[in-house]
Amino acid sequence: MKNKLFISTLVSYLGIYITMPVLSAISTKAHLIPSQIGIMISCGAFAMLLFAPLWGKISDRWGRRRVIVTGMLGMGLFFILYIFLFQLSISTNKSVSLLIYGLIGTRFLLGIFMTTTPTAASAYMADISAPQDRAKDMASLGFATGLAMVLGPMIGGAVSTIGNLYTPFYLTIVVLLAFSVIMAVTLPRHQAASVAENKNKFEELPKNKTSGFFSTELFGWLLAGCSVMFIVVVLQLVTSLFLHDNFGQTVTQSAQTASLLFFILGIALMAVQVLQMKVLQWTAKKMMVVGIPLIIVGMLLTALTSLYYLIFVSYILIGAGAGLGISSLSAGCSLAVSEDQQGAVAGTVAMIQGIAGIVSPLLGSWLYQLNSKLPYILFGCFSLLSYVIFLMVTKKKH
């Protein structure tokens, strides 16, 4: 069962990341100007922000399996509409407002389903994991996220080279629809019985007293998670610009180096998650306690160094810290609330991605215009503040 939840999460995030390398290019060919591309992507993030908590609550009532399948199916169907509108817009000789609005609206509809499957999978994992195993089991879903972040752009770039700009979208549609059928067939239809069977294995174990949904402890976990996700997102925006402005690289060179840095960051992120699952097996809190300082050091080192090779060291530290932070977030939040609130809290955790997708690009671009080092410094300082608050309000050793 846990392997199926891993695969569900991986496939859902691959559905996002496979198309990312060609999204700007195909949008430009479809006559969208840069500001319209930004609005389109932000609309998807805004939908994630609005609907992730709702999907978590729906999974509590409707069942995890149905929501997991609905998420993949919904993404697959709206990707069909998305690529149809791209093709229609590209076939015209000029920008057509109705098609532009259609693409923006379709991205919003896609965003509704982007966190659906991961939210339900996270809640399902919490349902079937013993408290002492939850950090390890949740780390596997974090590993699926990191794996998708690394493999998705690589797959998308490769198939677009073999085919064309449409090919990553076709591949994404096929994968999402195929796995929606596979998960509909293989996941247990009677979730309550499946969950009860698993919980019988650890119901005699001592249980931690959990806080309420609006507790300061849960707030501390969410704030720490925000600081991690903010940095992961803002780096995608400023890295190539930073290399161009501070190390004298050409636009092409900075793009190539940025791609290499993100590959290294992704490898570090995945490596530390594998290490956590197979060797370390730290508690959720210890992962966050170690992870955020690594991120802070990496961010400040990037801003303060003038040595080119140290940038690579910085991104390794950030990747390792992000791996620990992402892995611990779902587990920590899950353990901070009662068992009947797992869907709601899983949706709230997924909502952080939507917040980061909106806030980080806007704030990061504004700070970068003031000074190229400000995003690294101020986002690092925000992580430090979040870390202090996290230590103050999370007293339990989850």
Side-chain angles (χ1 to χ4, degrees):
M1 175 59 67
K2 294 177 181 179
N3 289 336
K4 294 173 185 175
L5 298 178
F6 172 87
I7 293 171
S8 297
T9 303
L10 175 63
V11 168
S12 182
Y13 279 120
L14 281 175
I16 300 173
Y17 288 110
I18 285 176
T19 59
M20 288 303 291
V22 300
L23 186 57
S24 294
I26 199 171
S27 298
T28 301
K29 290 192 67 174
H31 311 295
L32 276 73
I33 61 176
S35 61
Q36 291 170 334
I37 297 173
I39 291 171
M40 181 178 68
I41 295 173
S42 295
C43 280
F46 185 62
M48 293 167 65
L49 170 63
L50 290 179
F51 286 90
L54 179 61
W55 282 118
K57 293 179 181 179
I58 291 174
S59 75
D60 283 336
R61 299 181 180 180
W62 199 24
R64 317 295 190 209
R65 172 183 168 274
R66 289 181 180 179
V67 174
I68 288 171
V69 173
T70 298
M72 292 183 184
L73 185 61
M75 284 184 69
L77 294 177
F78 279 112
F79 261 116
I80 294 175
L81 176 60
Y82 204 33
I83 195 62
F84 171 75
L85 290 174
F86 271 126
Q87 291 175 330
L88 197 59
S89 185
I90 290 172
S91 68
T92 62
N93 295 324
K94 60 180 181 178
S95 175
V96 178
S97 297
L98 184 61
L99 293 175
I100 301 300
Y101 295 143
L103 285 166
I104 293 173
T106 302
R107 186 71 185 189
F108 180 87
L109 294 173
L110 261 173
I112 293 176
F113 293 93
M114 281 180 176
T115 58
T116 303
T117 296
T119 295
S122 179
Y124 209 150
M125 185 68 82
D127 290 338
I128 63 176
S129 298
Q132 74 274 13
D133 294 330
R134 197 161 298 171
K136 180 184 67 174
D137 292 338
M138 290 297 190
S140 70
L141 300 186
F143 177 61
T145 304
L147 188 61
M149 290 173 63
V150 175
L151 291 182
M154 292 173 61
I155 295 171
V159 298
S160 65
T161 302
I162 297 171
N164 54 43
L165 293 178
Y166 299 128
T167 311
F169 289 87
Y170 295 144
L171 176 62
T172 296
I173 291 167
V174 170
V175 170
L176 286 169
L177 294 182
F179 274 91
S180 68
V181 174
I182 291 170
M183 290 302 155
V185 173
T186 59
L187 287 174
R189 292 182 177 274
H190 303 290
Q191 176 189 323
S194 176
V195 171
E197 181 181 349
N198 281 278
K199 285 190 174 182
N200 285 336
K201 299 176 182 179
F202 52 82
E203 63 180 358
E204 299 301 325
L205 296 172
K207 297 179 175 59
N208 293 323
K209 184 181 178 181
T210 54
S211 305
F213 191 80
F214 297 102
S215 67
T216 56
E217 182 177 10
L218 180 58
F219 171 77
W221 278 102
L222 293 173
L223 184 63
C226 270
S227 73
V228 174
M229 292 306 302
F230 278 10
I231 286 173
V232 171
V233 173
V234 79
L235 289 181
Q236 298 175 25
L237 173 70
V238 303
T239 298
S240 62
L241 297 173
F242 185 82
L243 292 167
H244 173 69
D245 293 335
N246 290 274
F247 290 92
Q249 294 191 341
T250 66
V251 173
T252 301
Q253 288 173 335
S254 64
Q256 292 172 342
T257 305
S259 298
L260 178 59
L261 285 172
F262 283 121
F263 178 75
I264 291 172
L265 185 150
I267 294 298
L269 185 150
M270 290 192 299
V272 78
Q273 288 174 332
V274 172
L275 187 65
Q276 159 62 19
M277 290 186 293
K278 301 297 184 181
V279 180
L280 300 176
Q281 298 188 8
W282 287 342
T283 63
K285 183 172 182 179
K286 186 171 182 179
M287 282 192 282
M288 190 68 82
V289 167
V290 175
I292 291 184
L294 291 176
I295 294 174
I296 294 171
V297 171
M299 292 292 283
L300 297 181
L301 181 60
T302 302
L304 299 177
T305 187
S306 58
L307 300 175
Y308 179 68
Y309 74 90
L310 285 181
I311 300 296
F312 290 86
V313 176
S314 299
Y315 275 64
I316 291 173
L317 292 174
I318 294 169
L324 291 171
I326 292 171
S327 296
S328 67
L329 177 60
S330 295
C333 290
S334 171
L335 291 165
V337 300
S338 60
E339 295 301 321
D340 60 350
Q341 296 172 322
Q342 294 303 318
V345 80
T348 304
V349 171
M351 182 180 69
I352 291 176
Q353 296 179 55
I355 296 174
I358 296 170
V359 173
S360 287
L362 295 175
L363 181 58
S365 60
W366 179 72
L367 290 172
Y368 192 89
Q369 289 179 346
L370 297 177
N371 187 291
S372 62
K373 297 183 178 182
L374 271 182
Y376 291 92
I377 294 172
L378 292 188
F379 275 84
C381 289
F382 175 69
S383 289
L384 178 59
L385 175 63
S386 302
Y387 185 67
V388 172
I389 295 174
F390 172 78
L391 292 178
M392 290 173 60
V393 301
T394 55
K395 298 179 180 179
K396 298 178 183 179
K397 295 183 178 179
H398 292 322

